[in-house]
Each structure stands twice: as structure tokens, then as C-alpha cells.
Amino acid sequence: MELRQLEHFLAVAEECHFTRAAHRLHIAQSGLSASIRALEVELGAPLFLRTTRQVELTQAGRALLPEARRALSSISSARDAVAAVQGLLRGTLSVGSLQCLHVVHLPAVLARFHELHPGVEIRMRQSGNAELVEEVRAGRLDLAFVTRQHRMADDLRVSTLSSEPLVLACAPESPFATRDSVELAELAGQSFVDFNADWGTRDEVDRTLAAAGIERHVAVEVNDVHSLLDFVRFGLGVALVPQSFAGKSDVVRFLGLRGDIDVPFAETVVVTGHTVGAAAGELLDMVFEARAGRLRVAG
């Protein structure tokens, strides 16, 4: 099995079309078809179902896809490692992040990274926790900044950036607003504002309230911090949020949680595969330097 065969397989799998894949690879379609056929013969199984209209992966093809991505990602990391030793850091750095990452000013760190390593193309995307983690596992992202999930896969490397308690956010007119703290049991029957499923701290809040025996009604679901706080501000629900959100509004009231409970925490982590490429490793070093105040960044 040759690397170019895996590259050809991956292109066809992602394009679902031999002509488009051949164009993407800048090779003749006949050469691409021959490469795929040779790979199928070597593996002893068809990888694609071919019709006049579309190309689909077979069960064998679906099994090969994540392994092909990991193999090619490892080769890319090996090339980057050699380039880094030679002072020629280059390639592509794909980064995922949740929204409003408070533990480090990621745009500033990425700008500094680009200043130091202009040969590396930076690609950035935001999404929910589970999707970003799966993108790292599949090799489509080099690293991702997410909220720690209850269970993290064993084939990932997880490094903690921050851990902070959850607090109650409520409107200034709320009966809770004049208090310093609230017990979880008092939140029974309240309407909630929260993130969409798998977004931000939603999973942690769901687990916390379920463990306390509180059945809640989420009246408003959002996917960004500022919308969440706006809906809370105008009394459309309360929210359990990381303590750092208190710095994002001077109108919303924030209260601690008390009572016979273990105060829930939101943990922000950076997730990578066990093999970390040179560019990703350099960015991680810069992120931890920024957290420690040792990195000079703009803004």
C-alpha cells in the first residue's frame, strides 16, 4: 500500500466523484481509477459502490477512511517535524475552538504565530464540543479548545487550561438578584436559558441538575455567550454559567451556588491526538506561555 493510494482514496471519498477527485489531485481520471482498483485488489475488498450518478463508500471503505486520514496526518506531522528542525516550519495548522474562549486571547496568539511562522497556513473553525473532538480524532483538526466532556476518548491527549465554578446568572429584577448565593433546589420550576446541546457548558449543566433531581425547562437555546446573557438580562430565564461570564455583563446578576452539593466546575481543555505535529506543538507552547503571561501578543 502506497501513500499516494491513500491520498487518492481520500480524495474520492471526500468528493464522492472520480472526475472531481482527479481534478483536485491534478491527475488523469484513468490513473486515479487504476490506483483505486490496485488498492482494492491489495485489500481484497471493494472500497466504493460506483453508479452512473454517484460514488459511495462500501463498509470496507468506511472502515478504511479514518485510518487513511490518521496515516496521512501522521506523515504530514513527520514532514513538519523535519521542517521544524531545519527552521522551515510550514504546512497547514487546523484549529477548532468553542466561542468566547476566555482563558487565552486566541486571535492574538494566532496572529503572533503567523508573524513567527508565515509559511504555515492557519485554518480556524468554531463548533460544538463533540463535533470538534471528533474532528481531532479524525485528523481534520490538529487541536481544539473545548469544554471537557464527561468522557474523553482514550486516543486523545487532553490538557487543562482552566477550571472555574458554575454560577447562577439572573435578571436584575429576579427574586434571586439581591442575594449572594442560591441553592440548586431553589431552581426547580425556573425557566432556563442555555446553550444548544453539545455547546459550551450545556452537558455539564444537564448533568448537574439531573444529579440534583431537578427537572428543568430550557425556554431559550443559543450558541453564543452574548445572546445567552441578553436573554437572561430581559428575564426570559436563568442560566448556570462559568464564573468568568460575570466579566461580560454589568447588568446581569451572578450568584454563587451553595448547599449540600459539590459545586460544579467548567473545565476548558485543549485536545490533540497523541501525535502532535510541529506547528500544533508550537502553538500549544505559545498558548501556555500566553496563559503564564510570558508571550508578547498584540492587543
Side-chain angles (χ1 to χ4, degrees), residues 85-252:
V85 170
Q86 296 174 327
L88 299 172
L89 197 59
R90 60 173 183 259
T92 301
L93 177 62
S94 298
V95 181
S97 177
L98 48 78
Q99 291 184 329
C100 292
L101 184 69
H102 76 281
V103 296
V104 64
H105 194 262
L106 190 56
V109 175
L110 289 175
R112 179 60 173 160
F113 180 94
H114 179 67
E115 178 184 344
L116 296 174
H117 308 290
V120 178
E121 177 188 357
I122 298 173
R123 297 176 183 172
M124 173 77 196
R125 65 167 303 191
Q126 293 179 330
S127 188
N129 290 317
E131 183 174 345
L132 290 174
V133 169
E134 184 56 36
E135 293 284 285
V136 172
R137 292 189 67 199
R140 290 187 290 271
L141 289 177
D142 295 300
L143 69 163
F145 300 90
V146 298
T147 301
R148 180 184 286 273
Q149 297 175 298
H150 186 57
R151 294 179 180 176
M152 303 294 285
D154 292 337
D155 57 349
L156 295 173
R157 181 184 298 176
V158 182
S159 302
T160 299
L161 290 174
S162 75
S163 183
E164 57 180 319
L166 293 180
V167 297
L168 180 73
C170 66
E173 296 80 15
S174 167
F176 299 126
T178 58
R179 296 164 52 178
D180 294 325
S181 61
V182 63
E183 293 191 21
L184 277 181
E186 296 180 80
L187 302 182
Q190 293 287 322
S191 290
F192 279 81
V193 180
D194 210 333
F195 295 110
N196 295 328
D198 181 45
W199 210 272
T201 52
R202 174 64 182 266
D203 291 346
E204 181 61 33
V205 173
D206 284 343
R207 284 194 300 273
T208 296
L209 294 176
I214 297 174
E215 183 176 347
R216 67 167 178 159
H217 168 60
V218 180
V220 181
E221 290 185 321
V222 300
N223 61 9
D224 72 279
V225 173
H226 299 290
S227 293
L228 183 147
L229 294 178
D230 278 343
F231 282 112
V232 169
R233 172 188 175 186
F234 286 100
L236 291 173
V238 298
L240 290 177
V241 299
Q243 190 175 51
S244 59
F245 283 20
K248 299 180 183 297
S249 175
D250 55 4
V251 178
V252 173

Side-chain angles (χ1 to χ4, degrees), residues 10 54 68 72 142 159 184 253 257 262 289:
L10 186 59
Q54 61 183 2
L72 292 172
D142 295 300
S159 302
L184 277 181
R253 300 293 187 264
L257 300 177
D262 291 328
E289 286 179 17

Side-chain angles (χ1 to χ4, degrees), residues 16-28:
C16 296
H17 199 280
F18 273 81
T19 301
R20 289 196 298 268
H23 181 74
R24 166 175 153 182
L25 295 167
H26 305 290
I27 63 175

